[in-house]
Amino acid sequence: MHIFISDNNNKYYLPTRVIVELISIMYKHLIVCVLWMMILSVNCTRKTYHLIKLEGDKKIHQDVVHDIEGNTVTITVGDVSMYNGKIATVNFHDFDTGYVVFKNINRQLCLLSVSPIPYATPLIYELRETNLTLNYRAKIDEDFISLEKVEEMAGGKIASFCSDYKVHFMHLTLFQNSKRNADSDNLKAPCEHNCGICFVSIPAADYESLTIGKRG
């Protein structure tokens, strides 16, 4: 097979081998263009922020990934080992189901709760630094939850997120009148979790009994 190209009175032809090579090159470029468009599309629906939560002289660094299309937010809390009682977690919000889970990787533990904030807050993430705080006290159910129950309650995304972890349900109660410090004094050495602008205080004895396997 040949393709003839006419130039005034002159005629040229392209051999089959050249035609095949040209088609191959065009096909490869097409694939690259399609993949690049897919990557750009993903990037447009997922945004990453670095948010610093200020608590007195403490600075809690958090990596926030907002999946706009998936309607989820993943928050990874940075190193907090220098702060007594603070626990670093990776937290996953599924705003379609209205649940959030706090994952403690070192303890292989997930604490599932109804999300205190029912939607993503990109305007807060964009602040980069904030002292805005919602304070909660936690009460954790003793019995662990099966993954089937987690999926039934909170959806498949959270169930997958905690697929190799022990899961307990955590009830959150908002501190009234911003009296977190006074209330916290009544808790013996509380364990503290951060998630965005939320602060969660858990009695240390309750938390330790979960992580060492005395419950469930």
Side-chain angles (χ1 to χ4, degrees):
M1 180 182 71
H2 300 89
I3 292 181
F4 288 92
I5 301 176
S6 178
D7 180 11
N8 295 328
N9 295 324
N10 299 317
K11 289 185 177 180
Y12 307 91
Y13 71 88
L14 296 177
T16 301
R17 178 180 57 82
V18 176
I19 296 171
V20 171
E21 289 181 358
L22 286 174
I23 293 175
S24 177
I25 292 172
M26 292 172 61
Y27 182 71
K28 289 178 181 178
H29 280 285
L30 178 62
I31 292 177
V32 171
C33 289
V34 171
L35 289 175
W36 182 244
M37 290 175 65
M38 291 174 64
I39 292 172
L40 289 178
S41 175
V42 170
N43 287 338
C44 289
T45 62
R46 183 173 297 175
K47 293 187 177 181
T48 301
Y49 306 87
H50 181 258
L51 179 66
I52 299 176
K53 176 69 174 65
L54 302 175
E55 293 182 7
D57 59 348
K58 300 182 179 69
K59 287 189 175 184
I60 313 300
H61 292 262
Q62 301 173 99
D63 179 78
V64 181
V65 179
H66 180 199
D67 185 339
I68 300 171
E69 184 176 350
N71 201 23
T72 64
V73 168
T74 305
I75 297 180
T76 303
V77 179
D79 181 23
V80 289
S81 60
M82 70 290 290
Y83 303 131
N84 184 36
K86 289 286 185 186
I87 298 175
T89 54
V90 181
N91 311 319
F92 183 81
H93 298 253
D94 186 340
F95 295 109
D96 285 336
T97 64
Y99 283 85
V100 60
V101 65
F102 295 74
K103 176 189 283 186
N104 184 329
I105 297 174
N106 291 344
R107 298 283 189 171
Q108 201 174 353
L109 175 69
C110 275
L111 297 178
L112 177 67
S113 177
V114 174
S115 181
I117 301 176
Y119 44 78
T121 53
L123 291 180
I124 292 178
Y125 311 149
E126 291 172 357
L127 293 175
R128 309 300 190 227
E129 190 173 287
T130 182
N131 61 0
L132 181 63
T133 303
L134 293 176
N135 303 303
Y136 293 89
R137 180 185 310 186
K139 178 177 175 55
I140 304 172
D141 288 347
E142 295 186 359
D143 296 330
F144 72 90
I145 311 172
S146 68
L147 283 179
E148 291 77 12
K149 184 64 175 178
V150 172
E151 184 170 2
E152 180 183 334
M153 291 174 57
K157 295 176 184 177
I158 286 181
S160 177
F161 184 75
C162 294
S163 61
D164 197 27
Y165 284 71
K166 186 178 181 182
V167 184
H168 288 261
F169 193 81
M170 179 170 64
H171 304 269
L172 299 181
T173 303
L174 184 66
F175 281 103
Q176 299 298 322
N177 301 322
S178 301
K179 292 181 179 180
R180 190 190 90 195
N181 291 334
D183 288 341
S184 294
D185 291 340
N186 297 324
L187 301 175
K188 183 178 180 180
C191 297
E192 299 173 351
H193 288 54
N194 287 85
C195 185
I197 62 172
C198 293
F199 171 97
V200 178
S201 182
I202 307 171
D206 291 354
Y207 192 80
E208 288 301 315
S209 68
L210 292 175
T211 59
I212 62 178
K214 289 185 178 179
R215 295 186 179 186

